[in-house]
Amino acid sequence: MADLTPLLAFRWSPRAFHPTAALTGDEAASLLEAARWAPSAGNVQPWRFALGHRDDETWKRILVSLAEADQGWARHAAALVVGAHTGGDPERYAYDLGQSIAHLTVQATALGLYAHQIRGFDRAGLAADLDLSPGIRPLVVTAVGRLGDPSTLPEELLRRETALRHRHPVHALLLH
């Protein structure tokens, strides 16, 4: 494998989060600052975030919007972060939101935290529950926290959690 910064090499999206570890205010600020500095076409920065800390009202509203299967493990995350797109052409600007979430994820790794993106949630319901302005569309939820005990997961998730990581080889990613 080519030389890769440890922040990327060790980035991992677990489902086993520590059920009592909290995200500090400084850690939350650092994650959002990293997202803020992501590349943005024309510096539009078409992203907005909702941050819920475990058991606060925002966290609860985000959690209940998730698919039931994801609620089972995401309920242990220290924080849930909604990444929303602020309008315009989603094909043009969703990429920018993706960049900001990627930066947040790398910063989480730098802080010794873990992040897992979730796309299975009730977007319209969450927008209403969070009272988002028209044109602000939630596109991703990211669970953030410290690593927990994988043996607490259901059997199928435990298998996935403890399996060797797999990525396509670089040559399979290249267009010919």
Side-chain angles (χ1 to χ4, degrees):
M1 179 167 75
D3 192 27
L4 191 63
T5 178
L7 292 176
L8 296 175
F10 295 111
R11 184 222 51 85
W12 177 47
S13 300
R15 289 174 187 83
F17 286 99
H18 192 288
T20 60
L23 188 68
T24 69
D26 286 346
E27 289 168 333
S30 181
L31 295 175
L32 295 173
E33 189 67 14
R36 184 173 82 95
W37 282 99
S40 175
N43 200 27
V44 174
Q45 301 170 46
W47 52 70
R48 296 296 180 272
F49 301 100
L51 171 65
H53 292 269
R54 186 185 300 110
D55 294 327
D56 73 13
E57 282 306 309
T58 300
W59 184 91
K60 290 174 185 176
R61 289 175 183 191
I62 299 167
L63 183 67
V64 299
S65 77
L66 301 179
E68 192 172 323
D70 291 328
Q71 287 181 31
W73 60 265
R75 66 187 168 89
H76 295 300
L80 295 172
V81 181
V82 175
H85 178 265
T86 62
D89 178 5
E91 287 190 29
R92 180 174 179 191
Y93 293 116
Y95 172 82
D96 289 23
L97 173 61
Q99 283 273 2
S100 69
I101 294 296
H103 277 59
L104 182 150
T105 300
V106 171
Q107 185 66 19
T109 304
L111 296 173
L113 300 168
Y114 294 85
H116 188 119
Q117 285 80 37
I118 305 164
R119 64 179 180 177
F121 65 98
D122 177 1
R123 286 169 176 72
L126 182 57
D129 285 348
L130 294 178
D131 196 25
L132 300 180
S133 300
I136 297 183
R137 297 183 305 275
L139 294 181
V140 64
V141 172
T142 303
V144 180
R146 288 178 172 67
L147 196 58
D149 180 359
S151 69
T152 63
L153 295 170
E155 187 176 329
E156 172 56 28
L157 292 181
L158 174 62
R159 273 196 301 275
R160 292 170 66 185
E161 194 83 351
T162 57
L164 292 177
R165 291 174 66 194
H166 170 74
R167 288 289 189 257
H168 296 297
V170 171
H171 74 271
L173 303 175
L174 296 174
L175 298 173
H176 300 279

